[in-house]
Amino acid sequence: MTVASTCAPNISPRQAAVRRTRASGHAWPLAHRPEAAKAARKITQAVLAQWRVADDAADSVLLTVSELVTNAVEHAQPPLHLELSRDPGTRRVHIEVCDGGPAATEGDWAASRTRGEHGRGLQIIDRLTAAHGDRAEPGHAIHWADVAIAA
């Protein structure tokens, strides 16, 4: 089964063919506001509990979700969506955060901080994930990460 991203309602058949096959996928719209990271963590925590993900792996997933959503709020335009899925075969949780593409200006938090006070989110994601990346599609960007979960 191929799951099309909630961010790409007008996806072409060619793009749909290259989508990842995922099991247990769920998606949620988020308000494009600083509170979105908290809402995303709450959603993710409930899903991970339902999937019975161990606490240490859950912590890595939660922090990764928080970093990706915060980056979207601070550096991108709305809309904002969170998608979670898991692949029992690879024992990974797949996270996608979709936004409306790069914003013309930084968000209030990033703009009010010195360089040393922010900018470590991708370093954190590097350490917590098995893989991560992003892709641009017409009208939006998708930032994704895979976090390994214990067998």
Side-chain angles (χ1 to χ4, degrees):
M1 172 176 97
T2 301
V3 178
S5 173
T6 57
C7 300
N10 298 321
I11 190 165
S12 73
R14 183 178 149 284
Q15 289 172 316
V18 299
R19 293 268 183 220
R20 297 169 50 116
T21 298
R22 296 187 300 260
S24 308
H26 302 281
W28 298 265
L30 298 169
H32 192 271
R33 305 164 38 109
E35 298 83 17
K38 181 179 179 180
R41 284 191 305 272
K42 185 175 179 179
I43 291 164
T44 302
Q45 191 167 31
V47 170
L48 296 176
Q50 185 178 35
W51 289 344
R52 295 188 176 113
V53 173
D55 288 345
D56 57 337
D59 289 344
S60 293
V61 173
L62 289 165
L63 185 51
T64 300
V65 164
S66 186
E67 290 296 333
L68 290 175
V69 170
T70 298
N71 283 348
V73 170
E74 286 299 312
H75 305 291
Q77 302 177 77
L80 181 60
H81 290 86
L82 169 67
E83 187 173 329
L84 300 170
S85 60
R86 65 179 170 162
D87 184 337
T90 63
R91 302 292 302 156
R92 291 183 178 182
V93 170
H94 181 76
I95 304 157
E96 287 193 2
V97 173
C98 179
D99 59 51
T105 60
E106 295 288 344
D108 292 341
W109 189 88
S112 69
R113 302 294 184 240
T114 65
R115 198 164 180 75
E117 291 179 298
H118 67 92
R120 293 183 290 269
L122 288 178
Q123 292 172 343
I124 292 168
I125 291 169
D126 276 340
R127 291 186 180 248
L128 295 175
T129 64
H132 70 91
D134 55 71
R135 63 186 182 273
E137 294 183 1
H140 63 272
I142 299 169
H143 309 276
W144 62 270
D146 289 335
V147 178
I149 54 177

